[in-house]
Amino acid sequence: MPRFDDLVGVAQGAGTAGPQIAHSGSIGAFLFDPAAPDHAQAVARAEKELSASRIDDCRH
């Protein structure tokens, strides 16, 4: 998957539960723990880090 290392770095830096890769590497996602007290902040951090990494085709 192109930019796999970038996605793993964002996942770790944002505090996600981890990355998910699908469709032979053409789609990447992050797993979040909805019960975590900082869930909303983790989502916001991931969005910010994706933007900073110039990975900008994001949906949630």
Side-chain angles (χ1 to χ4, degrees), residues 17-49:
Q20 176 186 7
I21 308 302
H23 297 278
S24 299
S26 62
I27 296 176
F30 298 116
L31 303 174
F32 294 90
D33 179 357
D38 70 338
H39 174 262
Q41 292 86 358
V43 172
R45 281 192 305 268
E47 289 175 333
K48 183 177 179 180
E49 290 193 32

Side-chain angles (χ1 to χ4, degrees), residues 4 12 22 46:
F4 177 76
Q12 292 172 338

